[in-house]
Amino acid sequence: DYKVTGVQTCALPISPLGTRLFGSPVCIGEDIYVANDQGTLFQLDLASGQIMKEAPIGGLVLGSLATDGRTLLFITDDGRLNAVDAATFKTLWQLPIAAATDSTPAVDQGTVYLADQQGLAQAVDLATGRPRWATPLEDEFARCPVVGPDVVVFGCRGGTLAALDRATGTIRWKQRVESRFEYEPLDRKSTRLNSSHLVISYAVFCL
């Protein structure tokens, strides 16, 4: 059993899914969802690797998928944040963003958080796709924001972490990092800031 032993139960070649996969898949129940470099979204059975469903999504996904367990969220290279029903692959809404990005959105408690390559951070209502706030980060954004109880933290490629108020988008603080980095910060336990420690490349800060 793959859940207990870690023994490989299936291996699916990349070629049926396209030439390359730029981002990571997400899991909902017993299914895996992933998008390929040809603009196709796939649903696969977790136990067997069998492709259960596929559909074109109209753009290249350079980052990873995000999900709240029912909705799939991803950014395409034509500058759109997409919300797709995981069960039906029906597009629920699309939101144009200022610039295409290879980053990944984050979703928590009915709000989607993202930033584009021009450094514009946004919070978007998950149900409607309507923006709640937008805040310039003044630096190019890298990868995926991290959602905490009161703030959402964005890592910028120039080497700065910015913590924004979840409700208003107001910048709570900024911290200069020792060097440039390309990936998102992590807490000790998960992608949420459930502890007081924030771990980033090249340095560790206790906040």
Side-chain angles (χ1 to χ4, degrees), residues 100-165:
T101 177
D102 59 357
S103 65
T104 300
V107 57
D108 186 69
Q109 297 181 13
T111 301
V112 185
Y113 302 93
L114 72 150
D116 60 38
Q117 288 185 334
Q118 293 180 352
L120 183 67
Q122 296 187 68
V124 179
D125 184 84
L126 176 61
T128 65
R130 295 173 182 170
R132 292 181 171 173
W133 51 255
T135 301
L137 298 175
E138 300 178 353
D139 196 353
E140 183 181 351
F141 173 62
R143 302 302 178 180
C144 181
V146 177
V147 182
D150 301 309
V151 298
V152 55
V153 179
F154 294 84
C156 300
R157 287 197 168 99
T160 301
L161 288 176
L164 277 59
D165 186 282

Side-chain angles (χ1 to χ4, degrees), residues 76-104:
T76 45
D77 64 344
D78 54 357
R80 289 180 293 117
L81 172 64
N82 302 266
V84 173
D85 185 277
T88 64
F89 279 13
K90 177 183 177 181
T91 298
L92 303 175
W93 49 262
Q94 295 177 325
L95 177 69
I97 58 177
T101 177
D102 59 357
S103 65
T104 300

Side-chain angles (χ1 to χ4, degrees), residues 36-60:
N36 70 0
D37 64 339
Q38 298 176 1
T40 303
L41 179 65
F42 292 89
Q43 175 186 359
L44 295 84
D45 179 72
L46 180 62
S48 67
Q50 179 181 355
I51 297 175
M52 307 297 292
K53 190 186 305 180
E54 61 183 89
I57 51 180
L60 174 64

